[in-house]
Amino acid sequence: MSVYQEFEHDVLVIGAGGAGLRAAIEAAAAGVNVGLVCKSLLGKAHTVMAEGGMAASMGNVDERDGWKTHFADTMRGGQYLNSWRMAELHAKESPVRARELEGWGALFDRTPDGKILQRNFGGHKYPRLAHVGDRTGLEMIRTLQDHGIHQGMDVHMEVTVTRLLKDGERCVGAFGYDREQGRFRIFKAKAVVLATGGLGRAFLVTSNSWEGTGDGHSLGYHAGAELRDMEFIQFHPTGMIWPPSVRGILVTEGVRGEGGILKNNKGERFMFDDIPPLYVDQTADNPEEGWRYVTGDREARRPPELLTRDHVARKIVKEVQEGRGSPHGGAFLDIAWIKEHIKDSEAHIKKKLPSMYHQFKELAGIDITKEQMEVGPTTHYAMGGIAVDPDTQMTTTVPGLFAAGEVGGGLHGANRLGGNSLSDLVVFGQRAGEYAAKFAKDNPDYSVSEEEIKEAAVEALAPLERGVTALNPFQLQLELQTMMQSKVGIAREEEGLTEAVGSIREISGQIADVGAGGNRWYNPGWHTALDMKHLLTVSEAIALSARERKESRGAHSRLDHPDKDMAWSTFNHVVRKGSDGEMVVERQDIPQILPELQAIIEEEG
Amino acid sequence: MESATFKVWRGDQEGGDFETYDVDLEPGYVVLDAIHKIQAEQATDLACRWNCKAGKCGSCSAEVNGSPRLMCMTRVEDVAGDGPITVEPMRAFPVLKDLVTDVSWNYEVKAAIQQVTPREPDFEDGSWEMNQYDVERPQEFRKCIECFLCQNVCHVLRDHQMHAEFAGPRHFVFAAQAEMNPIDVGDRVAHLRDDMGIGYCNITKCCTTVCPENISITDNAIIPLKERVVDRSYDPLAKLMGAVFGSEKG
Ligand SMILES: Cc1cc2nc3c(=O)[nH]c(=O)nc-3n(C[C@H](O)[C@H](O)[C@H](O)COP(=O)(O)OP(=O)(O)OC[C@H]3O[C@@H](n4cnc5c(N)ncnc54)[C@H](O)[C@@H]3O)c2cc1C
Ligand code: SF4
Ligand code: SF4
Ligand code: FES
């Protein structure tokens, strides 16, 4: 039978991306014993891939910016389904969290007067994103990692958590295995923070790595937490589409922030065609004004390429559907054209977008300083996530369980603005760490159930014990991803969503037949088999919530309900496990917004 | 090119051997795609690390036809010749399984290096004034994705296995970014000399050649650090001043 390695921490943080690292740093600073668990090596989490920047209204480039504008931009971007309290905290605290990183070694690009430089991004009224070329995520994760390892925390690298442990209602730890040798680990903890990132791997075309299988969403759900806004999946408008091996890899919005334009196969800048009413006043109506905006003219309005991601993605799909797409089914993204305006444009592009230059050169054989790129939508980000208290990040229903970062829900509503994730990570990572430490201090006594541990071990070993079967875990994963892509993707309708729910339940039934050959040492087949439960859980939550929302709003588009419907703007969808184990979707009213915040939204227009 | 033959090293700490797999290719395939395809269709327990598939995370390091590469940035057509393409784990680190090696030593070495230690903030909001030309030098080093390919080719580690005495190029790059951070008041000179063994580097530049981030490891990081060590060690006055007045930085 199984032997376990046991660890005890005051606060256990699951996930070592920006959110998990920031939470762990904060908890350690509060003087409690902290354990940090991650599936990959430290420093390799998704956050490392973030490119464009981190939103914080420091006003270094345009002093008219401030938290109020950032708050209003975030709410508008989220089509007012956001938790307004989270949007307020996020807007107020992100400048502090950004500056703090410099004290820990981060080096952002600079303004001429020696401050942190900020760049334009979609949906942000002023240049707001602190950045380092197009490798901002690397800067952030490395800074937090290199600072974190000196704060006295135990890091458990390459360990996957498969289940949360409960003491009654309360979460008191986690069960997992080390990837290296497949040994089981039990983490007992007074408080647990989920910071497991996203779930893009539920779809076929995605910018997410193998890690993005929605583990935290699913671990939380099965432990009794509520998931909110799960219908809102961000399809980033610009993923690579050719050659096939790079499909889905992200092309940062920074390309458009630096002046990149979108064109169809007739060479038309189709983004000027139809501008959503919410944004008409803020958007340039001619290319010349758009160019002035990206080069810093404060009187100019932003080019339509910098509208919110949901809109840009849909516009690209429309061009393709109407026969104006690029050869491989996308649109052209052109940054090379800025040579009309900038003398040494080649050097400029390489300096501002070095990793994009490299990525296209190496992987697609395209020189972006001279040629246009081909791009199309890619599954990128989960707006939905675990429902939490906006101030403490504790889950609404499971005491002692906290969530921060992409796995958390609320801040982004129906659509996230670019750059608002990196800031989300540090703002709410910090809060989760602080309040988890406090919870641990206030609630020292708990017990862990041996029964539950045994159950978890049996569940984890099952695919290996079945050995090689006719059903290969990679095939089953592919089947799910292909189905989700076609039925729960960027354009949805009732019938497809109902079929999707059916397929998900069918595939869930097959899980018991999936087997993995080989032994417990570093065995991707086994690991993939175990990830399936999470993928299926989040897929079901997405499909059910999407079917319930019979309107189009933000990232959620219904072909059979193409318009936004004001009746749907007063509540969020919440998914939880019903008493019979079935997944249920409910409506939850959005709390009445504070009058002073409502006034800000109205003032900012 | 429609298909290719790969010889992939399979094994563990006890030993192992190359196994041959034929893989159908799609346009643009990189070596990592081929490994994934083998995993999905022929050997579900084939172990490899990866995350970003875009050269950003430094997880997928291996030796392809004997040369250290990121598998996700190596196009199959660029390495295909007459014979099969060989893929094996990095040789400077103990193998765990198949293409996965134990790189934990790197994390220990790094943890021993003093982190960036800032001077008092320049402004009330806790920030500092730094100019672009001040940050550019350390920014080059901060591009490092910790792929450890430079560690893998450095002869001091690979051939002489001096892991106990020598920190390796990655960590000189790391020390350099901290030393050259404009707000840093830390001092890593003694550590570089006594514990990190920078003197063992004889500037062969093999590390620079393999760096996927094109960091000029030797010229821009190691040589300036060596100069700091030499200046300090052979200048008794500087040493004395350093002892009396705290750190002195260039
Ligand atoms: C290519 C790309 C570019 C992006 N660019 C930007 C940008 O410019 N600006 C911006 O704001 N946002 C950007 N984003 C989004 C942003 O990077 C992510 O939303 C964010 O990094 C998520 O951070 P996180 O800390 O929540 O989780 P992650 O960084 O995803 O980390 C999750 C952690 O949880 C661990 N984990 C997961 N499951 C388990 C488990 N079962 N057991 C143990 N550990 C587990 C993982 O190993 C990992 O350590 C980008 C995303 C991508 C993919
Ligand atoms: S230059 Fe120095 S560190 Fe680099 S490979 Fe040669 S000996 Fe090693
Ligand atoms: S310095 Fe270059 S080769 Fe060495 S670990 Fe960093 S990125 Fe890799
Ligand atoms: S997978 Fe990230 S560098 Fe290759």
Side-chain angles (χ1 to χ4, degrees), chain A residues 40-42 44 48-49 51 99 102-103 105-110 112-114 132 135 138-139 142-143 145-147 149-151 157-158 180 201 209-211 243-245 249 351 355 358-359 362-365 472 474 517-518 521-525, chain B residues 13 26-30 33 39-40 44-54 56-59 72-73 75 96-97 100 103 107 110-111 113 115-116 118 125 127-132 135-136 138-139 142-146 174 181-183 212:
Chain A
S40 289
L41 294 172
L42 190 61
K44 312 291 186 197
V48 79
M49 297 156 68
E51 295 165 356
R99 290 191 195 105
E102 294 216 306
L107 291 171
F108 292 108
D109 288 347
R110 319 305 300 178
D113 60 348
V132 187
R135 57 163 189 84
L138 171 65
E139 190 67 14
R142 201 64 84 233
T143 300
Q145 167 191 353
D146 294 344
H147 180 68
I149 54 174
H150 294 284
Q151 308 311 304
M157 295 200 279
E158 299 200 297
E180 196 175 291
R201 285 267 141 191
S209 84
W210 68 270
E211 293 200 311
S245 78
I249 295 179
K351 161 86 190 127
S355 80
H358 194 59
Q359 185 172 312
E362 302 287 322
L363 297 176
N472 155 338
F474 293 101
W521 281 70
Y522 221 110
N523 186 339
Chain B
Q13 291 158 325
E26 283 186 56
Y29 249 36
V30 291
D33 290 314
Q39 211 175 49
T44 58
D45 63 342
L46 167 57
C48 77
R49 286 195 182 102
W50 70 284
N51 283 78
C52 68
K53 213 172 165 293
K56 295 185 169 73
C57 73
S59 302
C72 72
M73 295 302 277
R75 298 274 286 257
L96 282 170
K97 186 177 159 198
V100 174
V103 291
Y107 288 82
K110 189 195 221 185
I113 301 170
Q115 66 179 126
V116 170
D125 62 10
S127 65
W128 291 266
E129 183 175 328
M130 291 185 245
N131 290 305
Q132 187 60 37
V135 300
E136 225 135 82
Q139 274 184 339
R142 294 184 65 82
K143 287 193 307 186
C144 170
I145 56 174
E146 303 200 324
F174 181 70
N181 182 307
I183 62 172

Side-chain angles (χ1 to χ4, degrees), chain B residues 103-125:
Chain B
V103 291
S104 56
W105 169 80
N106 291 289
Y107 288 82
E108 289 158 26
V109 173
K110 189 195 221 185
I113 301 170
Q114 185 186 20
Q115 66 179 126
V116 170
T117 312
R119 63 168 192 256
E120 283 297 306
D122 298 340
F123 304 109
E124 257 173 40
D125 62 10

Side-chain angles (χ1 to χ4, degrees), chain A residues 162-178:
Chain A
T162 59
R163 183 196 282 238
L164 297 177
L165 303 175
K166 301 275 302 277
D167 178 3
E169 290 295 286
R170 177 178 170 190
C171 180
V172 291
F175 178 94
Y177 61 87
D178 74 58

